[in-house]
Amino acid sequence: MSSPTPSFCPMYRIGYSLSPKEVHSFIQNSLLDHAKQRGIDLIEIDPTKPLTQQGPFDCIIHKHYGPDWNNQLQQLSLDHPNVVVIDPPQAIEHLHNRVCMLDVVTSLKIPQGNQTIGVPNQRVLDESENLTDSIEEIGLKFPVIAKPISVDGSAKSHEMFLVFNDNGLKKLKLKKPILMQEFVNHGGVIFKVYVVGDHVKYVKRSSLPDICEETLNSVAEDEGFLLFSKISNLIAKNSEAVGGSSDEVDEYCCEVEKLVEKAEMPPLEFVMELAKGLREAMGLRLFNFDLIRDSRDGHRYFVIDINYFPGYVNMPEYESCFVDFFCDVVQEKRKKNGDGEVELDVKENHHEEEELCE
């Protein structure tokens, strides 16, 4: 007679409030099963019902915005102060503006070794300003990236342009105010750094190719700019640089893949310190940031974008990373409440899981 399968009652309830698209991509069976094995139950929050009528929850993760949702979270925190809300709405809102989102980078005080960190030269253009006059005034160099100021998740907020010359600036259809950010040649490689509490992972991906003076001069005056979604046109123009004709985009893309494969990853200690500095400065635990390395100086890095609760499904082994993070929150909460017995159970379960992963 076989031994009965031991039952395990989830000891920690995490509510999640995400858009249907995010639920579909993030809440995978692999994540749910992994969480269950560690004593964690993930529970979807019903957006049609008041938050105070749902639960109980030990913790809430969310990516919803607006006064009503913020008020519900505030009321929940008043009624149930022990519920951990990840992350505070006011801290998340800081990332809804492309200008202030990068301010935190320039104020970081972190050990950097041989590396330096900063943001590309940029300037906000207000409604009353002339585009070309403002570019000359601040000394920006072409090409520049034109971005909407607001980041609200809409298609418009992700509509960006690579601008090559004055004519391109005049023809821009973006509604002011807009952010003009100087394009930095970075070898066609971008580093996506994912932060989940104290856990950090980063990967390298292909990016916009370097743009030389010849490319700038070859762009017809009647073009002037390219929508990011049509950047393949630029790739085609650059294909001659790798020995192909202008229409051999596939060959060029193959070269880009090789370039990414050969690219050296930034030093781990540097990335960890940078992630920690951003996490503490912003008061956020779930975000990612885009990091590029200056083609002219291999020790010079720039943060060009920060996103709250990004597409974590693109992060390697995101399931185990998140479950480790949830367990960290469990232990933090139990320690705060002085509940040592439950904390010990979670730790033991955590150690068992690590042995299985090895």
Side-chain angles (χ1 to χ4, degrees):
M1 182 176 178
S2 61
S3 302
T5 302
S7 61
F8 186 81
C9 181
M11 67 178 70
Y12 198 67
R13 294 166 56 88
I14 294 183
Y16 61 89
S17 181
L18 307 170
S19 71
K21 181 180 178 181
E22 288 157 345
V23 169
H24 179 74
S25 65
F26 179 73
I27 306 296
Q28 301 287 322
N29 287 334
S30 55
L31 174 63
L32 297 173
D33 293 342
H34 202 73
K36 287 280 189 180
Q37 293 173 11
R38 301 280 292 277
I40 292 172
D41 200 8
L42 292 170
I43 304 165
E44 185 170 11
I45 293 173
D46 188 344
T48 66
K49 298 179 181 179
L51 187 56
T52 53
Q53 296 180 13
Q54 302 182 64
F57 301 114
D58 295 286
C59 171
I60 288 177
I61 61 174
H62 68 102
K63 194 179 179 181
H64 276 152
Y65 313 119
D68 179 66
W69 175 250
N70 293 350
N71 290 336
Q72 289 196 58
L73 286 177
Q74 184 178 21
Q75 188 60 49
L76 179 74
S77 296
L78 291 173
D79 296 341
H80 306 281
N82 288 331
V83 177
V84 181
V85 176
I86 301 174
D87 280 298
Q90 61 271 25
I92 298 174
E93 289 174 2
H94 189 78
L95 296 185
H96 292 172
N97 183 298
R98 283 196 169 94
V99 179
C100 61
M101 80 159 58
L102 295 181
D103 285 346
V104 66
V105 178
T106 58
S107 62
L108 288 179
K109 304 295 182 183
I110 61 173
Q112 298 176 13
N114 295 328
Q115 290 73 38
T116 61
I117 188 67
V119 299
N121 195 14
Q122 61 183 28
R123 166 71 187 274
V124 177
L125 298 178
D126 296 320
E127 296 182 9
S128 60
E129 293 184 282
N130 180 285
L131 287 171
T132 53
D133 286 348
S134 297
I135 290 295
E136 294 172 356
E137 176 185 320
I138 197 173
L140 286 176
K141 297 179 181 178
F142 288 115
V144 295
I145 302 173
K147 310 178 180 182
I149 296 293
S150 176
V151 184
D152 58 11
S154 67
K156 280 290 184 182
S157 70
H158 293 288
E159 192 175 68
M160 296 184 285
F161 296 85
L162 188 59
V163 185
F164 299 96
N165 50 45
D166 291 337
N167 192 47
L169 285 177
K170 296 174 183 177
K171 293 170 61 178
L172 272 182
K173 302 300 182 182
L174 284 175
K175 183 179 180 181
K176 297 180 189 176
I178 59 177
L179 179 68
M180 305 298 294
Q181 185 181 84
E182 193 170 289
F183 179 80
V184 177
N185 281 336
H186 52 282
V189 179
I190 191 170
F191 304 100
K192 297 277 187 179
V193 184
Y194 295 91
V195 180
V196 184
D198 293 333
H199 307 274
V200 178
K201 289 192 176 185
Y202 57 114
V203 296
K204 51 185 177 180
R205 296 286 185 263
S206 62
S207 180
L208 298 182
D210 286 355
I211 301 173
C212 60
E213 289 293 333
E214 290 77 11
T215 300
L216 283 177
N217 295 333
S218 69
V219 176
E221 282 295 319
D222 59 347
E223 293 180 10
F225 68 88
L226 283 174
L227 185 64
F228 266 42
S229 62
K230 297 181 179 179
I231 212 67
S232 58
N233 294 338
L234 179 63
I235 293 177
K237 291 177 182 296
N238 277 275
S239 61
E240 294 180 357
V242 294
S245 62
S246 61
D247 60 346
E248 289 178 313
V249 178
D250 289 342
E251 182 179 346
Y252 181 77
C253 289
C254 182
E255 294 294 329
V256 170
E257 290 177 4
K258 293 179 182 178
L259 190 68
V260 174
E261 185 179 346
K262 293 179 181 179
E264 182 180 348
M265 296 290 277
L268 175 61
E269 184 178 358
F270 167 66
V271 175
M272 293 294 290
E273 289 291 343
L274 178 55
K276 179 183 177 182
L278 289 173
R279 184 178 66 245
E280 294 177 348
M282 297 188 299
L284 296 173
R285 302 200 226 186
L286 301 177
F287 63 94
N288 83 336
F289 59 94
D290 293 342
L291 187 68
I292 60 173
R293 179 168 50 218
D294 194 334
S295 294
R296 300 167 300 176
D297 183 349
H299 299 291
R300 189 182 187 194
Y301 291 86
F302 296 92
V303 175
I304 59 173
D305 200 16
I306 308 175
N307 301 286
Y308 184 71
F309 210 115
Y312 278 113
V313 72
N314 297 314
M315 181 180 73
E317 301 176 342
Y318 88 98
E319 300 96 335
S320 60
C321 189
F322 260 89
V323 173
D324 286 343
F325 167 64
F326 292 147
C327 287
D328 291 343
V329 176
V330 169
Q331 296 178 38
E332 179 182 322
K333 180 176 179 178
R334 299 305 181 184
K335 284 181 180 179
K336 183 177 180 181
N337 295 339
D339 194 341
E341 182 177 355
V342 178
E343 176 194 344
L344 178 61
D345 291 340
V346 174
K347 283 184 176 179
E348 291 174 348
N349 199 22
H350 179 61
H351 291 160
E352 291 174 1
E353 186 69 13
E354 286 181 339
E355 291 173 0
L356 290 174
C357 291
E358 293 175 355

